[in-house]
Amino acid sequence: MFTFEHIEKHGEHEEVIFCHNKKAGLKAIIAIHNTTLGPALGGTRMWNYASEEDALVDVLRLSKGMTYKAAAAGLNLGGGKAVIIGDSKTQKTEAMFRAFGTYVNSLQGKYITAEDVGTTVKDMEYVFMETPFVTGIPVAFGGSGDPSPYTAHGTLMGIKAVVKEKYGSDSLQDVKVAVQGLGNVGSNLVDFLVKEGAVVSIADIDQDKVKMISEKHNLKVEDPNGIITSECDVFAPCALGAVINDDTIGNLKCKMIAGGANNILAESKHGDQLMELGILYAPDYVVNAGGLMNVFVELEGYSSDRAFEKTTQVFDNLMHVFKIAKDENIPTQKAADRLAERRIDEIGSLRKQHHGRTARPFSTLKEMTTRQK
Ligand code: NAD
């Protein structure tokens, strides 16, 4: 395991913490990528990694992604992530998550955790017993609960932004939108789209979900893979990553792509090709930032109305990305990275002269949220 080599290769992280408690069965890694804009926020993933090296590479990659997502979203947050090595179905215990909570607490708010793949609100309750630096806790504890409706609302804003950029108006009346995946994000998105007067087609591999939603709104049903290349204005991937790949890109019939899924492009070159094809791509991490905005509001003292209001920012963020892409004649996925990097650079250089209020670690969550405001 060549740890420092990995850290250099995957993005100059500020700090990587290995957490080990044999009695509690805890093996975890916390990666803090960048805290220029604020505390590093990112969920804790529990996964049965094939090797510890795989876990390290994953946490380095995911934490860097969070830095870009928070920066492009305009939030005062940095990027971090944690992974717990183990089987989330059979190996979870109270002691494991409380032991993990003590490590999070030792970072004094430099890293704030949340749920992710393989972890639940219940697990975060255990973490919360040992540290206040956790979000996504139950509504009963003042938390924000399920982020999916906010991610879906941000995605709706993303769809409005691509339509505005392409057609000159953000009205979705009679605009054909093809939604792939009817899970937590996709099902909420369909409700929003129908309300806006869009002509929605849907697909999922789970036929029960397809039946329920098509009957609720009387929608056209497509084949789960065929929907990618169906005739529509906007293709909205809300299921898997890498749906725009060597096999699909030549057959696309949409004019725009904006969806809630992570890692929509199999490789960055596919974003370059979309630009050549004249298909407007809304970079995924800018579109699906609504969930992150929702937990950010939790840090300030949660209000659902304020969280929904905050997700409307996705529209302006994307218009900014499209402007950079046009001005600099670059594909939108590269423009999004530039937007994030410039914000980190500009705010970071301000603080080289004088420390701002989010420039040092916090000793309590209250102190942190007071300084964030
Ligand atoms: P989910 O598991 O609730 O839903 C995914 C849905 O996609 C399921 O209904 C599944 O049956 C369907 N699906 C799987 N393979 C498919 C295929 N080949 N064709 C069609 N449908 C298929 O997940 P979710 O929470 O709705 O998240 C959806 C996507 O959005 C994921 O990529 C996730 O990483 C991303 N995302 C979610 C959030 C959030 O707040 N939940 C935030 C940011 C990003």
Side-chain angles (χ1 to χ4, degrees), residues 92-353:
K92 281 182 183 179
T93 61
E94 174 185 350
M96 172 187 278
F97 282 94
R98 291 186 71 161
F100 177 67
T102 63
Y103 278 98
V104 174
N105 201 50
S106 72
L107 295 167
Q108 296 177 57
K110 194 172 178 191
Y111 169 66
I112 303 168
T113 197
E115 284 172 66
D116 196 70
V117 176
T119 57
T120 63
V121 171
K122 180 79 199 156
D123 303 329
M124 292 306 124
E125 259 184 75
Y126 290 134
V127 175
F128 186 54
M129 288 174 190
E130 302 298 335
T131 182
F133 301 113
V134 51
T135 58
I137 50 172
V139 179
F141 290 96
S144 59
D146 177 14
S148 310
Y150 306 90
T151 304
H153 195 253
T155 305
L156 174 76
M157 295 300 133
I159 293 172
K160 279 178 164 286
V162 283
V163 170
K164 167 84 178 166
E165 182 69 9
K166 201 78 174 170
Y167 297 157
S169 156
D170 69 0
S171 167
L172 298 185
Q173 188 67 46
D174 300 327
V175 172
K176 287 187 192 150
V177 185
V179 180
Q180 184 195 38
L182 304 170
N184 296 316
V185 175
S187 59
N188 282 294
L189 176 64
V190 169
D191 289 345
F192 289 131
L193 288 168
V194 169
K195 254 192 220 155
E196 295 276 332
V199 179
V200 182
S201 56
I202 54 170
D204 197 293
I205 46 170
D206 181 337
Q207 289 313 309
D208 291 340
K209 287 182 183 166
V210 171
K211 189 165 180 286
M212 196 176 74
I213 292 174
S214 65
E215 281 174 3
K216 180 176 171 191
H217 295 298
N218 191 21
L219 302 174
K220 183 176 177 200
V221 176
E222 300 271 2
D223 171 77
N225 292 319
I227 195 163
I228 304 172
T229 53
S230 66
E231 198 95 46
C232 60
D233 295 294
V234 185
F235 169 50
C238 296
L240 313 164
V243 287
I244 305 302
N245 54 42
D246 286 343
D247 295 334
T248 57
I249 199 155
N251 300 316
L252 295 172
K253 294 186 201 73
C254 57
K255 299 183 181 72
M256 299 155 256
I257 299 172
N262 277 314
N263 306 317
I264 289 174
L265 305 176
E267 294 171 62
S268 184
K269 71 169 187 191
H270 296 114
D272 304 356
Q273 290 168 14
L274 288 175
M275 182 181 173
E276 284 161 25
L277 290 167
I279 297 173
L280 180 60
Y281 170 64
D284 44 21
Y285 69 79
V286 186
V287 175
N288 69 27
L292 183 63
M293 291 170 172
N294 182 53
V295 289
F296 180 77
V297 172
E298 189 175 321
L299 299 177
E300 300 175 332
Y302 190 64
S303 142
S304 169
D305 286 350
R306 213 145 32 80
F308 270 117
E309 177 59 32
K310 200 150 191 90
T311 61
T312 59
Q313 182 66 37
V314 170
F315 182 92
D316 291 337
N317 294 342
L318 279 169
M319 296 316 280
H320 198 161
V321 167
F322 298 149
K323 182 166 185 323
I324 294 173
K326 273 187 295 194
D327 289 352
E328 299 175 30
N329 196 26
I330 54 172
T332 51
Q333 84 280 7
K334 289 184 179 142
D337 288 355
R338 282 198 192 167
L339 172 68
E341 284 160 7
R342 281 176 195 164
R343 185 162 174 254
I344 293 167
D345 193 44
E346 280 165 16
I347 307 299
S349 57
L350 290 179
R351 290 179 180 163
K352 277 188 188 134
Q353 285 181 306

